[in-house]
Amino acid sequence: MKEHTQNFSNTPPSNRVQRTVYAAILLALALVLAYLENLIPPPLPFLPLRWGFSNIAVMYALYTLGSPSAYGICLLKAALNALSRGPLSALLSLAGGLASISIMSLLLRSRRSLFFISVFGALSHNLAQILICLFILPKGSFIYLLIPILLLSIATGLISAFLLNLSLKSTQSKVLALLLLPLLTLSACHKAELSISKTYYDVFDTVVELRIDAHPDAEKLIEAAHDKLKQMHKLFDRFHSYKGVNNLYTLNQMAGEEAVELDPLLFNLIQESLKYAKASHLAFNPSIGAVTAKWQAFLLGGSDHFPEPEELTNLTSLADIEAIELDASKQTVFIKNKGMAIDLGAIAKGYACEILASDFRAAGVDSALINLGGNVKILGKRNDGQTFRIGINNPYYKLALSCESNSEEAERLSLIDKRYAALIPGAKSKTTEAPSEDNSDLAIAQILSLENRSAVTSGIYERFRFHAGKRYHHLIDPSTGYPSDRYDAITIIAENSTLADAYSTALFNLSIEDGKALLADCDPTAAAIWYLKDGSLAESNHFSDYQAK
């Protein structure tokens, strides 16, 4: 280590007191950078990754004090993340830090250049975090991120190398760099010093991202939004009861017996769902809860019993939105038909997005992103003046990753594009063509540029199960009781997130022309894109207006 640091004309502190003081300065710098880094929106949306600039201090310690000090700072930085952003953030910080220190320590011994070592240190840091995410978040979502991660690693590595090289030349420039690093980070923040982005995993059985830009109370508002999401999670739950809460489960249990007084959030959601059911001529129908519950048990593995036609006919006959009686003065709902149940799963997340957006606006928020498992609501523009950009999953890619190799669907995907067939688990290489680096963008179908809009996608790849070589999914056609078989996915863009969520389901049960007419009637600025079974696409008016240029 001493031989190598001499190559940079730098002499480490010579006595214990100096080394202790120097280590304390580096520790303070690492903690300050880690704190400031929490204020900057993440470089890759929907992932709990950060820029990694706080590791500059860790890398500095490695070069000047040795690996024990670097590991110590890494551990303390992870502890700070645990306190400020939770255990997942701490785990990611620790994994990234340990990986980068280990890789850089090995490269130091091989006398590689400072820039080479810094870039590979940043790369190993980000890749280690991605590996952790792969075990926590849904699979198949990270392949398309490898190139952005590589570019991000190179960028942060070069910046780190530049600052390290500058500070290692002399004692004066070393002190100058220590003083300037926090200022450089603050400068990079610009308005982002008031930006907060947090990710949660404990509501609506999905990944939730909440981001507010340029607002002094951003953190408090996000915490309040999380609390409201937890409240709505309980209210809209149709499978579990909660002490002291009249929720959807309570209401369905009392079907045919008596009216139930509900919280205004749930009462208003049911009211909204009936409005969209009537407007869509029951293509979206919240009264088929008994049917969807039967499918839910099969799709999620709670039961191996495949729903029989006679069962579905009987359950479908119970569905009737006219049997849902609302009393606004008492905030009560009565389901007249015994055995009938309400299912709000096709509208609840969109409604929750609107509730949070309304709360944010009331608090003076001009720029925000709300993402409830792919139900995205955008307020304003980002604090750098640019519109928010949202990536839409390629449904054929998602289908391939979750397809059975001997199914009808596997043959269909191979006809659309051999690259999809190569992704199917168990696919034979001699009959498929593996994706090349040029096809690394297969996972993303569209990039949308949105301002004060919502985007919601429904796809048959989310909740499903194969039976007799066919995929059965959660998007049910109310007229038949069976999963809709028209499309692979539909994305709706509209001003109102509740509408976008409800109609992303309704359009699955309508022809393309009827779907276009429904959108035009309810919101002249709304748009949609259909992904058809043969791999072709259909777009409504205005969809191209929202595509990123």
Side-chain angles (χ1 to χ4, degrees):
M1 184 70 183
K2 185 179 292 187
E3 283 185 1
H4 197 74
T5 54
Q6 287 174 351
N7 291 334
F8 299 104
S9 302
N10 178 68
T11 303
S14 57
N15 61 57
R16 182 176 299 177
V17 174
Q18 287 178 327
R19 291 177 67 87
T20 302
V21 172
Y22 200 64
I25 293 173
L26 287 172
L27 173 59
L29 177 63
L31 297 181
V32 168
L33 286 172
Y35 172 76
L36 294 175
E37 194 174 56
N38 287 341
L39 303 180
I40 309 175
L44 301 173
F46 315 124
L47 276 182
L49 301 180
R50 295 285 156 173
W51 288 95
F53 288 124
S54 59
N55 283 300
I56 293 174
V58 178
M59 294 162 65
Y60 202 109
L62 177 64
Y63 276 96
T64 57
L65 296 176
S67 54
S69 296
Y71 283 123
I73 292 176
C74 172
L75 290 172
L76 289 171
K77 189 165 73 73
L80 173 68
N81 282 324
L83 293 174
S84 62
R85 285 164 49 206
L88 176 60
S89 176
L91 178 61
L92 292 172
S93 173
L94 185 61
L98 295 178
S100 61
I101 293 171
S102 300
I103 291 296
M104 288 190 295
S105 296
L106 291 173
L107 294 176
L108 271 171
R109 299 191 187 99
S110 65
R111 297 179 177 271
R112 296 284 186 175
S113 70
L114 178 61
F115 284 90
F116 182 90
I117 294 170
S118 298
V119 168
F120 271 85
L123 180 62
S124 59
H125 177 273
N126 289 333
L127 290 180
Q129 293 190 336
I130 283 294
L131 288 176
I132 297 294
C133 290
L134 281 170
F135 286 100
I136 297 174
L137 302 180
K139 308 297 184 294
S141 304
F142 298 97
I143 294 177
Y144 74 96
L145 294 175
L146 290 179
I147 291 179
I149 290 168
L150 179 61
L151 295 176
L152 174 67
S153 302
I154 293 173
T156 55
L158 290 176
I159 293 172
S160 302
F162 172 77
L163 293 172
L164 285 168
N165 193 44
L166 175 69
S167 62
L168 289 169
K169 286 182 178 179
S170 69
T171 303
Q172 285 185 336
S173 60
K174 181 191 305 177
V175 175
L176 181 63
L178 287 172
L179 293 175
L180 286 180
L181 274 173
L183 297 178
L184 287 172
T185 305
L186 279 174
S187 175
C189 289
H190 189 46
K191 291 182 182 179
E193 72 272 17
L194 299 177
S195 298
I196 296 292
S197 178
K198 293 194 174 184
T199 304
Y200 302 98
Y201 305 89
D202 58 349
V203 291
F204 288 100
D205 300 319
T206 191
V207 181
V208 171
E209 182 193 7
L210 302 176
R211 167 179 166 174
I212 295 178
D213 287 359
H215 193 285
D217 296 321
E219 187 159 7
K220 291 181 180 178
L221 290 172
I222 287 178
E223 290 300 329
H226 182 217
D227 289 339
K228 182 161 282 188
L229 284 174
K230 288 191 285 187
Q231 177 191 7
M232 289 190 283
H233 175 88
K234 292 180 180 179
L235 289 172
F236 306 161
D237 192 339
R238 67 187 179 115
F239 295 111
H240 305 93
S241 62
Y242 300 89
K243 186 176 181 180
V245 177
N246 281 348
N247 66 355
L248 189 56
Y249 174 86
T250 310
L251 177 62
N252 287 335
Q253 290 294 305
M254 299 304 295
E257 297 184 16
E258 62 181 63
V260 178
E261 184 178 355
L262 301 176
D263 184 280
L265 285 170
L266 178 53
F267 182 89
N268 293 337
L269 173 55
I270 294 174
Q271 199 169 42
E272 286 280 281
S273 71
L274 295 178
K275 178 181 76 173
Y276 289 118
K278 293 174 182 177
S280 68
H281 303 289
L282 300 183
F284 161 74
N285 188 344
S287 69
I288 62 168
V291 178
T292 57
K294 177 67 69 174
W295 280 109
Q296 184 94 344
F298 174 73
L299 297 179
L300 298 185
S303 168
D304 288 328
H305 173 68
F306 183 80
E308 299 293 338
E310 186 177 348
E311 289 179 292
L312 295 177
T313 298
N314 293 335
L315 294 175
T316 302
S317 67
L318 294 173
D320 181 7
I321 61 170
E322 300 300 330
I324 303 174
E325 187 177 274
L326 279 68
D327 187 331
S329 62
K330 297 179 181 179
Q331 292 284 289
T332 61
V333 175
F334 177 43
I335 301 175
K336 297 178 181 179
N337 295 345
K338 189 171 183 62
M340 176 179 144
I342 295 176
D343 179 3
L344 301 174
I347 193 174
K349 288 190 290 185
Y351 175 79
C353 282
E354 283 299 313
I355 294 295
L356 297 191
S358 178
D359 289 348
F360 286 170
R361 288 194 194 97
V365 174
D366 296 320
S367 175
L369 178 148
I370 302 164
N371 176 23
L372 306 185
N375 284 54
V376 178
K377 175 75 176 182
I378 299 295
L379 296 184
K381 294 183 177 180
R382 300 185 321 193
N383 58 353
D384 60 3
Q386 301 297 312
T387 56
F388 284 89
R389 293 198 169 198
I390 307 300
I392 302 300
N393 284 322
N394 180 347
Y396 309 117
Y397 174 86
K398 299 284 283 186
L399 288 171
L401 291 178
S402 59
C403 186
E404 286 189 351
S405 59
N406 60 347
S407 65
E408 298 175 6
E409 187 176 78
E411 183 177 355
R412 176 171 69 87
L413 291 171
S414 67
L415 293 175
I416 294 175
D417 193 321
K418 288 184 178 180
R419 295 174 298 173
Y420 298 136
L423 297 170
I424 296 172
K428 297 179 181 179
S429 58
K430 64 180 182 180
T431 60
T432 57
E433 179 182 330
S436 66
E437 291 183 2
D438 294 335
N439 301 320
S440 57
D441 60 345
L442 277 178
I444 296 296
Q446 307 285 338
I447 301 292
L448 304 179
S449 178
L450 302 180
E451 178 182 355
N452 295 316
R453 285 291 181 274
S454 298
V456 179
T457 298
S458 289
I460 68 172
Y461 49 80
E462 291 295 342
R463 295 194 297 277
F464 63 89
R465 184 174 177 181
F466 279 90
H467 176 73
K470 182 177 179 180
R471 182 190 298 261
Y472 291 86
H473 54 84
H474 71 295
L475 296 165
I476 307 300
D477 185 340
S479 65
T480 66
Y482 279 91
S484 177
D485 201 33
R486 294 172 182 258
Y487 315 107
D488 282 334
I490 297 175
T491 294
I492 306 285
I493 303 168
E495 183 177 358
N496 186 288
S497 186
T498 311
L499 180 152
D501 201 7
Y503 284 175
S504 70
T505 298
L507 265 61
F508 252 89
N509 303 313
L510 296 172
S511 69
I512 293 174
E513 291 308 313
D514 287 345
K516 289 179 179 180
L518 177 61
L519 284 181
D521 287 343
C522 66
D523 181 355
T525 66
I529 184 169
W530 289 259
Y531 296 85
L532 280 66
K533 296 290 183 179
D534 62 0
S536 61
L537 308 179
E539 297 178 7
S540 71
N541 293 335
H542 306 300
F543 183 80
S544 60
D545 297 342
Y546 301 110
Q547 289 178 300
K549 303 300 188 287

